Amino acid sequence: MHHHAGMKRKRTGLAAAFALALAVALFSTRSTGRIPVITSRSFLSFASANSIPQAFLLGAEAARTAGTPRTALLPFTALDRAGYIDPEKPAIYTFPYSDRIAIDASGWIRYDRFGVQIEIEKPGQPSISLKVFAYPWFRAGRRFLLRADQMALAEIDDRGTILWEHEFPMIITALDASADLAAAGLLDGSLILMDRDGSISFIKSDNSRGVINPVYGLALSPDGKMAVIIRGISPKRIELYAANGTILQKKKECLLPSNAPLQATAAFSDDSSHVIAAMGSELYHYDVRSNRAVSLASEMRQNSNLAYTVLGPAGRQSIAVLAGMSANSGKADGGFDSSAVWILRHGESILSYPGAVGFSASKQTLAFVTESGVDCLKGEGL
């Protein structure tokens, strides 16, 4: 699985003051339970990285299809290059890119800022250029295109062929997908689920009387049996939906005492026991069983210039979070002066990497992407 900070590139000057502030925040968090034991560590420098040999990637793809252990290739993106990590050797294979890119185990899609044109590239095959007016979005081994006006969604295969598509009456404000489901939250508060073939299996309209409560964040559990949505303006709330046959029913609701920005990122842990949600400088741990949301930001000594993005599951009931800090909250390019990746287990920090701008993970391997290379950590309890 690959995680990156988002569409905008992040600048990482790593000034000493910011690095120190992040280090204080990172290592002052409480931590109980099992702490990972790092048994090996390899820093793979971009300066000495290999170019991507077609035979290497084609062999990896064949192994992935056959389900052999040779599947542990981790895609990643950095500030100006992307590629794959082979944690078994270990080694990295990279290529440069400009503008923007989305990458998975099968290849990558280059695209421009406005989503006018995309270039679909797959090892060993000619690239395909398409005018789509849409942005590529990869999740759970699947590829989607979100139309530039955010009012239509399509799933595509690795050659760009549209498998299904839907147009919506309102702007899509949140998306997530599992192996067999895709979910869209809309500006009017609706939640829509689509099966693997694209058929709409569930529509939940917001029933608030005279009040619109847009969906600002959305997360599906790995098995697609639960969904969490973040909605509302004042107050915001987390709603938990659970499967009942072929539909999802609202089971729980928890208010969020927050004045945070509206847009949220969120992810379930791999065991579906909890969710981490981020909204600007606010960070929450939501426990599914107790229906309780706890703010983590105050414990991590955040300040108004620190912004969080949830990257996704990091194995062993853990979730990765990107923390970025700017000298001022109004940087024109939306980038960060310094950043770090935290690994949270049930809301508690078990590992942190100041200076990381991205993250990938596989079984027993955590890979932290920096400006100059990739740091691969292996061990017990990861």
Side-chain angles (χ1 to χ4, degrees), residues 336-353:
F336 299 135
D337 292 297
S338 60
S339 60
V341 169
W342 301 346
I343 307 300
L344 305 180
R345 183 167 295 164
H346 291 285
E348 299 180 354
S349 176
I350 61 169
L351 193 63
S352 61
Y353 200 108

Side-chain angles (χ1 to χ4, degrees), residues 33 47 51 61 91 104 112 128 139 145 158 172 193 203 241 247 273 286 294 300 314 329 335 345-346 369 371:
S51 60
E61 174 68 11
D104 62 13
D112 61 82
I128 298 174
R139 184 76 83 201
L145 291 176
D158 58 6
I172 299 170
L193 296 184
I203 299 178
Y241 291 78
I247 65 173
S273 64
Y286 173 72
V294 176
M300 296 178 179
S329 58
R345 183 167 295 164
H346 291 285
V369 182
E371 281 187 308

Side-chain angles (χ1 to χ4, degrees), residues 30-234:
R30 61 190 174 92
S31 183
T32 60
R34 186 179 181 187
I35 302 298
V37 176
I38 306 303
T39 57
S40 68
R41 179 177 181 178
S42 302
F43 186 81
L44 308 173
S45 171
F46 291 146
S48 58
N50 303 303
S51 60
I52 297 182
Q54 291 184 357
F56 171 83
L57 277 183
L58 290 174
E61 174 68 11
R64 185 187 67 81
T65 304
T68 67
R70 186 64 180 83
T71 60
L73 278 180
L74 304 180
F76 74 92
T77 58
L79 299 182
D80 58 0
R81 68 184 67 212
Y84 296 87
I85 306 161
D86 184 352
E88 295 179 6
K89 290 191 174 182
I92 55 173
Y93 303 82
T94 71
F95 60 91
Y97 75 93
S98 60
D99 224 342
R100 298 154 195 258
I101 196 167
I103 186 170
D104 62 13
S106 299
W108 52 91
I109 296 179
R110 303 176 194 258
Y111 61 103
D112 61 82
R113 178 181 178 184
F114 301 103
V116 174
Q117 185 164 314
I118 64 173
E119 296 284 340
I120 302 175
E121 300 183 35
K122 185 177 175 67
Q125 299 184 18
S127 64
I128 298 174
S129 180
L130 298 175
K131 287 190 175 182
V132 293
F133 298 97
Y135 300 104
W137 174 68
F138 294 179
R139 184 76 83 201
R142 302 166 67 183
R143 294 182 172 191
F144 300 87
L145 291 176
L146 175 63
R147 202 168 69 189
D149 63 2
Q150 294 183 228
M151 295 188 69
L153 181 71
E155 183 170 8
I156 62 173
D157 64 15
D158 58 6
R159 301 304 293 167
T161 302
I162 293 178
L163 304 177
W164 56 260
E165 58 183 324
H166 286 294
E167 189 162 359
F168 301 96
M170 283 280 179
I171 290 175
I172 299 170
T173 52
L175 284 171
D176 202 9
S178 64
D180 297 312
L181 283 178
L186 305 186
L187 185 63
D188 65 356
S190 299
L191 172 65
I192 299 175
L193 296 184
M194 292 149 281
D195 290 336
R196 189 61 194 250
D197 63 2
S199 59
I200 293 179
S201 58
F202 177 73
I203 299 178
K204 170 66 176 178
S205 299
D206 181 45
N207 295 322
S208 301
R209 295 181 180 178
V211 178
I212 295 177
N213 288 295
V215 176
Y216 292 113
L218 169 64
L220 289 175
S221 62
D223 60 8
K225 293 183 178 180
M226 287 191 290
V228 155
I229 66 173
I230 300 165
R231 72 159 78 243
I233 298 176
S234 181

Side-chain angles (χ1 to χ4, degrees), residues 361-377:
S362 65
K363 187 177 182 181
Q364 301 296 309
T365 300
L366 300 180
F368 296 90
V369 182
T370 72
E371 281 187 308
S372 57
V374 177
D375 209 350
C376 287
L377 279 62

Side-chain angles (χ1 to χ4, degrees), residues 292-308:
R292 184 168 177 256
V294 176
S295 174
L296 304 177
S298 59
E299 297 181 10
M300 296 178 179
R301 299 185 185 179
Q302 54 78 245
N303 60 51
S304 60
N305 293 334
L306 189 60
Y308 301 103

